[in-house]
Amino acid sequence: MSKHVNAGRTSKVGRNVWREVGQLAAKHRALNLAEGIPDFPPPTFIREALCEAVGGGNVMHQYTKVFGHPPLVKNVAKFFSRIMDREINPSEDVLITVGAFHALYCAIQALVEEGDEVVVIEPFFGIYSNGVKMAGGAPVYVPLRPKAGAGGVLSSGDWVLSAEELSSKFSPRTKAIMINTPNNPLGKVYRGEELQLIADLCIKHDVICVSDEVYEWLTYDGAKHVKIASLPGMWERTVTIGSAGKSFSATGWKVGWAIGPQRIMKHMKTIHDYSVHHCPTAVQEAVARGFEREHRVFGTPESYFQQLPAMLRPKRQKLASCLESVGLQPVMPEGGYFMIADFSSVKADSEDQSSGDEPMDFRFVKWLIREKGLATVPVSAFYSPEHSKEFDKYIRFCFVKEDSTLESAERILRKWITGQ
Ligand code: IK2
């Protein structure tokens, strides 16, 4: 027999729910409220910037600097210096990556080694746990749970951490903690005091915080996005990650960034250097121009970072009202562009999805695609095996969609549940 072809790390990762749902949705030509992909185009100014970049000189078609195209690095540093109210050094504190995904990969690979523990708050985006496991580390999970006694329509703000549980997970082996605010899939926007609790633990145990803030502009109902890196003592131990795909509704461009102190960034740069090396030049140029414009119009209604949440607010309401009216209990997100809903009171209508070993939400999602032509995502996929059972009565809907798409989803749900 030949040797194993794979390295052990490839066997450490769990199932890929995105691929499973995506393939089934394509097979059944289902309406897609599963993936976090806008079905409307990015704003005109940034599309024009890309056309200009592509139509520009030869330099736009050749390699640029390895750690980021200079205009983008400069503009990211300038923009976030203003947001974070501190001088961000473009050549030391910023790394441009292939989407936020690659920034997460570089952070994990740079920080985590065999035997390290990483605290991962649930629900989490898949690479947090799989990335840590592939690096030889051990994820240690802490779930957000609905507050005891919270009744009526829940808000994502009603989902909280237990301070005791969280602090019990820090040990001498803890290297890092991974947080996501606003959170995918829940929409939770962490309050200042919740971030302060995390910050205090990081400082006490000398732990690095990887803060995934790809939905930072998308907050509703007065919720304020707070950067944990801006809390006292946290700049030195935080990597803040962002995404042009999410910020400018251009997910296919795959431009992301990591911002942090040079003592961490230099190691992330090493991983970047020997994984992708360069990122594509023209899209970086376009994003650089996008940031230049956003810096100019920041805080005015002209700013896309204000326009996008303003556009999404009624869509969020539309989806929530539709879900409620058909008996799916939504958790109102205070941020991001996803909404989870409890389907337990309607599941009796779909008996054929109640058999087999799969988690209830996986079966329900597959049934909904196959029988009703609507694609969503099972929420237990965002939890560890030890906690997933507690959360398998929820599915995730995405509302960064045209109104007509949301109306089609509403028609499907109404027809199924109310027969009208
Ligand atoms: N971090 C989070 C929390 C994300 O949600 C994403 C984007 N992926 O979401 C798709 C989905 O849940 O349907 C990323 C990081 C990756 O961002 P990027 O596209 O910039 O790599």
Side-chain angles (χ1 to χ4, degrees), residues 18 34-37 98-102 104 125 127-128 180 182-184 212 214-215 241-246 251 254-256 337-338 377 382 396:
W18 309 108
E35 289 165 305
I37 302 176
V98 183
F101 205 100
H102 180 233
L104 289 161
F125 188 55
I127 188 185
Y128 300 5
N180 173 211
N183 173 271
N184 171 10
D212 178 343
V214 299
Y215 303 104
I241 290 173
S243 164
K246 300 296 176 179
T251 57
K254 290 299 292 181
V255 175
Y337 48 51
F338 303 106
V377 177
F382 296 83
R396 188 195 81 172

Side-chain angles (χ1 to χ4, degrees), residues 10 25 47 109 117 151 155 272 288 320 328 350:
T10 66
R47 279 185 288 148
Q109 286 289 320
E117 290 181 355
S155 143
H272 182 287
L328 291 159
S350 47

Side-chain angles (χ1 to χ4, degrees), residues 155-297:
S155 143
S156 60
D158 295 322
W159 287 55
V160 292
L161 289 168
S162 148
E164 295 73 44
E165 188 178 11
L166 180 64
S167 53
S168 75
K169 301 295 180 182
F170 282 71
S171 81
R173 287 192 299 281
T174 310
K175 189 69 167 285
I177 179 168
M178 303 190 69
I179 66 169
N180 173 211
T181 183
N183 173 271
N184 171 10
L186 186 56
K188 183 181 173 67
V189 180
Y190 285 70
R191 309 250 176 289
E193 57 274 21
E194 293 173 308
L195 294 173
Q196 190 61 58
L197 168 73
I198 295 168
D200 290 345
L201 288 166
C202 287
I203 292 166
K204 179 171 169 197
H205 295 275
D206 190 18
V207 160
I208 305 294
C209 179
V210 178
S211 187
D212 178 343
E213 302 182 9
V214 299
Y215 303 104
E216 63 189 304
W217 311 114
L218 305 179
T219 57
Y220 318 107
D221 302 335
K224 291 253 174 313
H225 174 68
V226 177
K227 288 189 173 295
I228 195 167
S230 65
L231 300 184
M234 285 306 287
W235 164 260
E236 279 308 316
R237 55 179 66 257
T238 303
V239 177
T240 304
I241 290 173
S243 164
K246 300 296 176 179
S247 300
F248 294 107
S249 304
T251 57
W253 290 14
K254 290 299 292 181
V255 175
W257 54 87
I259 300 173
Q262 195 247 357
R263 74 177 184 118
I264 303 175
M265 298 310 294
K266 68 181 180 196
H267 302 297
M268 288 180 60
K269 287 178 177 177
T270 303
I271 303 298
H272 182 287
D273 212 354
Y274 293 100
S275 50
V276 303
H277 208 53
H278 300 93
C279 301
T281 306
V283 282
Q284 291 190 73
E285 174 70 21
V287 175
R289 293 185 194 186
F291 268 114
E292 195 172 272
R293 176 190 183 275
E294 286 303 308
H295 192 272
R296 216 173 40 246
V297 298

Side-chain angles (χ1 to χ4, degrees), residues 60 64-65 68-78 90 96 281 284-289 291-292:
M60 288 297 136
T64 182
K65 291 276 189 270
H69 185 48
L72 180 56
V73 171
K74 187 179 110 217
N75 288 351
V76 164
K78 184 170 158 197
I96 302 301
T281 306
Q284 291 190 73
E285 174 70 21
V287 175
R289 293 185 194 186
F291 268 114
E292 195 172 272

Side-chain angles (χ1 to χ4, degrees), residues 70-133:
L72 180 56
V73 171
K74 187 179 110 217
N75 288 351
V76 164
K78 184 170 158 197
F79 188 84
F80 286 100
S81 292
R82 175 177 184 176
I83 299 291
M84 295 172 83
D85 196 21
R86 70 173 300 127
E87 203 53 47
I88 293 169
N89 182 324
S91 56
E92 294 187 342
D93 306 339
V94 178
L95 174 64
I96 302 301
T97 54
V98 183
F101 205 100
H102 180 233
L104 289 161
Y105 178 81
C106 289
I108 294 168
Q109 286 289 320
L111 292 169
V112 180
E113 60 192 337
E114 209 67 39
D116 285 341
E117 290 181 355
V118 176
V119 176
V120 173
I121 299 181
E122 300 165 291
F124 56 81
F125 188 55
I127 188 185
Y128 300 5
S129 65
N130 286 326
V132 168
K133 287 189 223 162

